[in-house]
Amino acid sequence: MHQLNETHSAELSSWVASANEAGTDFPIQNLPFGVFRRAGSDEAFRAGIAIGNQILDFAAIREAGIFEPQVATTVELLCDDTLNRYMALSVDAQSALRRTVSQALRDGSELESTLSNCLVEQEKAEFKLPANIGDYTDFYTSINHATNVGKLFRPDNPLLPNYQWVPIGYHGRASSIDVSEQNFHRPNGQLKSPDADAPVLAPCKRLDYELEVGIYIGAGNDLGQAIALDDAEQHAFGLCIFNDWSARDIQAWEYQPLGPFLSKSFASTVSPWIVTMEALAPYRKAWSRPEADPQPLDYLDSAKLRKSGALDMKLEVLIETQAMRDSNEPPSSVSVSNFDQSYWSISQMIAHHTVNGCNLQPGDLFGSGTQSGETADSVGALLEATEGGKHPITLSNGEQRTFLQDGDRVIMRGWCDGPGLPRIGFGEASGTILPALPLNK
Ligand code: CA
């Protein structure tokens, strides 16, 4: 785990005025990474760091020769159109860049006049997927979600016996993951109602979102070499917001015996910004397991985990319908939950994923699984909020939803804060549902 250092101090302020405004996601204590260029331009994509409503542009920094010689090699990597080579650097090298950028953006920095020419307004930028995601694994770490969903399928036996022992996951599809403002067509697939003799090919009728935390892997491990629990976070680069769109009717018919397949692989959305594990250090919490539950096997348990393995990260889902856009109304907040409820930690996910020798690579992405609290207004999927489509939810403008309709835009947000701590945010992961394409028969 990263130590607290000067870059986390709540006292810091920036010469970028918008970074000091209350409620900004991107104060000087955050410094998250994304990959961008000016919207509509043919510039090369490169990395940037969000600061207030601006982006610190690493291509411009290289051009101006700023930060030489101390982190010049690192700046070079940040001119790539993905963060993969930067993610592979040591934690110390990444930490050195963070300290350099923090010092340069502070009030009173002598670099203000040169660096002010290296800023691009976020509103004038377009983003791409920040990493080449070689492999994507989706976990299932919220016991509330697992229990709620389990109840719908197996009322008398909601939680399967392995759940409290194994951080459950499956290998997902990386190619259909895209960055926020992803628009996609409602998927077509095989649907079978319980009383029908045979399935039909049709547009999904039970389209849902899943509110998840995305975890990008930094430095990888060699094939055959497991990562120990207490070393695991050295291999986590940072976190994003992740929407694992799900077609519940396709899923219900296809999921046995091998798990989700086409119900999940048509689209998944990440936020453009990755908040580093170092930036998240002040928001760590003790990790615990209820005394009545089985305690983790030794390879998934340690004093360090118990002291600081959890993360206080708030998560929110909002729905914006076509009717809201037509009448200029704001999106409706439908759920707020917290990653600190997760039954398994980031370090446990990494240690378990590699215990068999499986190799992780820089830029690989983990989904945390839907993060649900215990109450109806803190569940991370409509499947849970509507109890399988039985009880519609009512939005702020009076419209109701059991599942998503064409034209609905789902917005997910995340942030960390606390007494005496600055608020840092993750930006947004949003996506809009377009009508299904004609069926191929
Ligand atoms: Ca999921």
Side-chain angles (χ1 to χ4, degrees):
M1 205 200 101
H2 288 276
Q3 301 298 312
L4 291 178
N5 57 46
E6 64 177 73
T7 68
H8 300 108
S9 167
E11 306 299 316
L12 297 181
S13 59
S14 174
W15 51 262
V16 180
S18 57
N20 307 323
E21 287 170 10
T24 180
D25 275 350
F26 309 118
I28 192 168
Q29 293 86 357
N30 192 349
L31 307 177
F33 290 86
V35 171
F36 79 102
R37 68 180 176 189
R38 284 181 181 80
S41 76
D42 58 2
E43 294 173 351
F45 280 97
R46 67 279 190 180
I49 282 180
I51 179 76
N53 60 14
Q54 306 287 316
I55 304 168
L56 187 63
D57 176 355
F58 281 97
I61 287 171
R62 178 177 63 177
E63 187 75 11
I66 304 165
F67 300 157
E68 285 183 347
Q70 69 270 40
V71 290
T73 321
T74 309
V75 168
E76 190 63 38
L77 301 183
L78 289 167
C79 295
D80 288 357
D81 65 356
T82 72
L83 287 166
N84 293 65
R85 289 203 299 163
Y86 180 73
M87 289 166 153
L89 290 181
S90 70
V91 165
D92 287 349
Q94 291 171 2
S95 193
L97 182 88
R98 176 179 166 86
R99 192 167 53 251
T100 301
V101 169
S102 170
Q103 288 168 351
L105 289 172
R106 283 177 208 170
D107 264 329
S109 163
E110 57 189 24
L111 289 174
E112 175 177 348
S113 60
T114 40
L115 268 189
S116 58
N117 296 317
C118 302
L119 297 175
V120 175
E121 281 180 58
Q122 285 170 29
E123 276 202 345
K124 294 184 177 162
E126 60 187 357
F127 296 88
K128 73 184 272 293
L129 206 56
N132 177 18
I133 300 170
D135 271 306
Y136 153 55
T137 303
D138 200 23
F139 283 88
Y140 198 52
T141 67
S142 164
I143 196 168
N144 297 321
H145 175 69
T147 306
N148 293 340
V149 172
K151 269 182 204 157
L152 298 172
F153 293 102
R154 300 173 299 275
D156 47 349
N157 182 26
L159 202 63
L160 293 170
N162 57 0
Y163 187 85
Q164 292 171 310
W165 297 97
V166 180
I168 298 288
Y170 73 98
H171 291 287
R173 183 81 198 162
S175 65
S176 50
I177 301 173
D178 206 351
V179 76
S180 187
E181 302 189 20
Q182 183 179 27
N183 301 332
F184 61 91
H185 295 279
R186 174 180 297 274
N188 295 317
Q190 278 202 22
L191 317 179
K192 183 186 167 302
S193 56
D195 49 356
D197 291 332
V200 294
L201 178 67
C204 159
K205 294 178 181 61
R206 291 159 70 89
L207 185 56
D208 201 355
Y209 53 79
E210 290 193 335
L211 172 62
E212 303 197 18
V213 176
I215 301 143
Y216 284 98
I217 297 300
N221 59 306
D222 291 335
L223 183 60
Q225 299 295 312
I227 298 172
L229 184 74
D230 282 352
D231 299 334
E233 289 203 12
Q234 305 283 317
H235 297 265
F237 174 73
L239 307 186
C240 68
I241 305 297
F242 182 62
N243 185 349
D244 181 26
W245 304 92
S246 298
R248 300 302 183 190
D249 37 10
I250 299 172
Q251 185 179 357
W253 172 230
E254 75 175 6
Y255 89 102
Q256 289 178 314
L258 288 185
F261 179 30
L262 302 183
S263 55
K264 304 277 189 170
S265 60
F266 55 92
S268 316
T269 309
V270 292
S271 54
W273 299 110
I274 306 173
V275 177
T276 63
M277 295 309 295
E278 185 172 7
L280 293 166
Y283 312 94
R284 304 307 297 254
K285 291 177 65 172
W287 180 95
S288 65
R289 174 64 47 91
E291 272 180 33
D293 287 9
Q295 301 304 303
L297 295 182
D298 281 350
Y299 79 101
L300 294 175
D301 205 349
S302 76
K304 186 171 157 183
L305 168 80
R306 300 272 175 173
K307 181 162 176 270
S308 57
L311 177 66
D312 180 3
M313 173 176 171
K314 284 88 171 173
L315 300 161
E316 183 178 26
V317 186
L318 305 98
I319 297 177
E320 179 190 83
T321 67
Q322 186 62 51
M324 291 173 188
R325 285 192 291 277
D326 291 345
S327 55
N328 232 349
E329 288 175 79
S332 175
S333 176
V334 291
S335 170
V336 177
S337 67
N338 196 316
F339 189 38
D340 67 2
Q341 299 279 301
S342 181
Y343 200 74
W344 298 103
S345 73
I346 293 167
S347 57
Q348 288 171 321
M349 286 183 242
I350 292 172
H352 183 67
H353 201 307
T354 61
V355 72
N356 66 346
C358 175
N359 51 331
L360 304 177
Q361 302 186 86
D364 283 359
L365 184 72
F366 291 0
S368 64
T370 308
Q371 295 300 308
S372 293
E374 291 177 348
T375 56
D377 59 359
S378 65
V379 292
L382 286 172
L383 181 71
E384 290 166 78
T386 67
E387 291 178 55
K390 289 198 283 287
H391 308 292
I393 60 163
T394 302
L395 306 179
S396 53
N397 67 345
E399 282 183 277
Q400 292 195 319
R401 286 292 181 276
T402 47
F403 290 97
L404 296 168
Q405 296 186 6
D406 293 348
D408 284 354
R409 178 170 175 253
V410 176
I411 304 155
M412 295 183 175
R413 295 175 182 156
W415 66 96
C416 298
D417 56 13
L421 296 172
R423 176 193 183 282
I424 67 171
F426 288 75
E428 286 184 355
S430 75
T432 305
I433 295 147
L434 308 174
L437 292 167
L439 297 165
N440 288 324
K441 303 216 175 182

